[in-house]
mmCIF file of all heavy atoms in Angstrom:
data_model
loop_
_atom_site.group_PDB
_atom_site.id
_atom_site.type_symbol
_atom_site.label_atom_id
_atom_site.label_comp_id
_atom_site.label_asym_id
_atom_site.label_seq_id
_atom_site.Cartn_x
_atom_site.Cartn_y
_atom_site.Cartn_z
ATOM 1 N N ARG A 207 9.094 -104.641 -65.554
ATOM 2 C CA ARG A 207 8.047 -104.895 -66.553
ATOM 3 C C ARG A 207 8.479 -106.034 -67.512
ATOM 4 O O ARG A 207 7.715 -106.981 -67.800
ATOM 5 C CB ARG A 207 7.793 -103.617 -67.350
ATOM 6 C CG ARG A 207 6.325 -103.261 -67.372
ATOM 7 C CD ARG A 207 6.105 -101.961 -68.140
ATOM 8 N NE ARG A 207 5.924 -100.805 -67.234
ATOM 9 C CZ ARG A 207 6.625 -99.714 -67.261
ATOM 10 N NH1 ARG A 207 7.639 -99.589 -68.102
ATOM 11 N NH2 ARG A 207 6.368 -98.725 -66.437
ATOM 12 N N ALA A 208 9.750 -105.940 -67.855
ATOM 13 C CA ALA A 208 10.272 -106.960 -68.766
ATOM 14 C C ALA A 208 10.244 -108.359 -68.136
ATOM 15 O O ALA A 208 9.842 -109.348 -68.751
ATOM 16 C CB ALA A 208 11.711 -106.610 -69.164
ATOM 17 N N ALA A 209 10.598 -108.359 -66.807
ATOM 18 C CA ALA A 209 10.636 -109.640 -66.084
ATOM 19 C C ALA A 209 9.237 -110.216 -65.947
ATOM 20 O O ALA A 209 9.007 -111.420 -66.172
ATOM 21 C CB ALA A 209 11.250 -109.415 -64.700
ATOM 22 N N VAL A 210 8.307 -109.279 -65.549
ATOM 23 C CA VAL A 210 6.913 -109.712 -65.384
ATOM 24 C C VAL A 210 6.403 -110.271 -66.719
ATOM 25 O O VAL A 210 5.762 -111.316 -66.777
ATOM 26 C CB VAL A 210 6.019 -108.548 -64.912
ATOM 27 C CG1 VAL A 210 4.524 -108.902 -65.028
ATOM 28 C CG2 VAL A 210 6.355 -108.197 -63.467
ATOM 29 N N HIS A 211 6.750 -109.520 -67.736
ATOM 30 C CA HIS A 211 6.324 -109.965 -69.048
ATOM 31 C C HIS A 211 6.854 -111.387 -69.327
ATOM 32 O O HIS A 211 6.104 -112.250 -69.754
ATOM 33 C CB HIS A 211 6.828 -108.975 -70.117
ATOM 34 C CG HIS A 211 6.439 -109.330 -71.493
ATOM 35 N ND1 HIS A 211 5.129 -109.139 -71.977
ATOM 36 C CD2 HIS A 211 7.132 -109.912 -72.518
ATOM 37 C CE1 HIS A 211 5.075 -109.601 -73.226
ATOM 38 N NE2 HIS A 211 6.303 -110.075 -73.593
ATOM 39 N N ASP A 212 8.148 -111.610 -68.957
ATOM 40 C CA ASP A 212 8.777 -112.919 -69.173
ATOM 41 C C ASP A 212 8.045 -114.002 -68.390
ATOM 42 O O ASP A 212 7.769 -115.072 -68.905
ATOM 43 C CB ASP A 212 10.260 -112.886 -68.743
ATOM 44 C CG ASP A 212 11.098 -112.083 -69.749
ATOM 45 O OD1 ASP A 212 10.558 -111.767 -70.865
ATOM 46 O OD2 ASP A 212 12.250 -111.750 -69.414
ATOM 47 N N VAL A 213 7.724 -113.656 -67.065
ATOM 48 C CA VAL A 213 7.060 -114.645 -66.191
ATOM 49 C C VAL A 213 5.650 -114.926 -66.732
ATOM 50 O O VAL A 213 5.204 -116.059 -66.781
ATOM 51 C CB VAL A 213 6.986 -114.139 -64.739
ATOM 52 C CG1 VAL A 213 6.138 -115.071 -63.862
ATOM 53 C CG2 VAL A 213 8.394 -114.038 -64.154
ATOM 54 N N GLN A 214 4.929 -113.827 -67.095
ATOM 55 C CA GLN A 214 3.565 -114.017 -67.604
ATOM 56 C C GLN A 214 3.558 -114.897 -68.844
ATOM 57 O O GLN A 214 2.656 -115.697 -69.050
ATOM 58 C CB GLN A 214 2.937 -112.657 -67.934
ATOM 59 C CG GLN A 214 2.287 -112.025 -66.752
ATOM 60 C CD GLN A 214 1.747 -110.640 -67.107
ATOM 61 O OE1 GLN A 214 2.132 -110.057 -68.125
ATOM 62 N NE2 GLN A 214 0.861 -110.161 -66.274
ATOM 63 N N GLN A 215 4.640 -114.723 -69.572
ATOM 64 C CA GLN A 215 4.767 -115.580 -70.750
ATOM 65 C C GLN A 215 4.880 -117.052 -70.313
ATOM 66 O O GLN A 215 4.226 -117.934 -70.870
ATOM 67 C CB GLN A 215 6.033 -115.191 -71.567
ATOM 68 C CG GLN A 215 6.003 -113.801 -72.162
ATOM 69 C CD GLN A 215 5.034 -113.697 -73.346
ATOM 70 O OE1 GLN A 215 4.238 -114.665 -73.667
ATOM 71 N NE2 GLN A 215 5.045 -112.580 -74.040
ATOM 72 N N ALA A 216 5.664 -117.279 -69.204
ATOM 73 C CA ALA A 216 5.918 -118.665 -68.788
ATOM 74 C C ALA A 216 4.750 -119.231 -67.949
ATOM 75 O O ALA A 216 4.025 -120.126 -68.367
ATOM 76 C CB ALA A 216 7.225 -118.726 -67.991
ATOM 77 N N THR A 217 4.532 -118.765 -66.670
ATOM 78 C CA THR A 217 3.467 -119.242 -65.771
ATOM 79 C C THR A 217 2.575 -118.076 -65.340
ATOM 80 O O THR A 217 3.045 -117.137 -64.666
ATOM 81 C CB THR A 217 4.060 -119.862 -64.484
ATOM 82 O OG1 THR A 217 5.074 -119.015 -63.997
ATOM 83 C CG2 THR A 217 4.545 -121.260 -64.712
ATOM 84 N N PRO A 218 1.295 -118.115 -65.626
ATOM 85 C CA PRO A 218 0.383 -117.013 -65.205
ATOM 86 C C PRO A 218 0.277 -116.914 -63.679
ATOM 87 O O PRO A 218 0.107 -117.923 -63.010
ATOM 88 C CB PRO A 218 -0.983 -117.412 -65.824
ATOM 89 C CG PRO A 218 -0.706 -118.545 -66.763
ATOM 90 C CD PRO A 218 0.598 -119.201 -66.389
ATOM 91 N N ASN A 219 0.476 -115.651 -63.095
ATOM 92 C CA ASN A 219 0.464 -115.421 -61.608
ATOM 93 C C ASN A 219 -0.471 -114.250 -61.300
ATOM 94 O O ASN A 219 -0.126 -113.082 -61.507
ATOM 95 C CB ASN A 219 1.877 -115.080 -61.146
ATOM 96 C CG ASN A 219 1.957 -114.992 -59.618
ATOM 97 O OD1 ASN A 219 0.912 -114.981 -58.945
ATOM 98 N ND2 ASN A 219 3.155 -114.894 -59.115
#
Side-chain angles (χ1 to χ4, degrees):
Chain A
R207 232 178 259 125
V210 168
H211 180 75
D212 287 348
V213 172
Q214 274 177 343
Q215 296 287 8
T217 45
N219 186 349

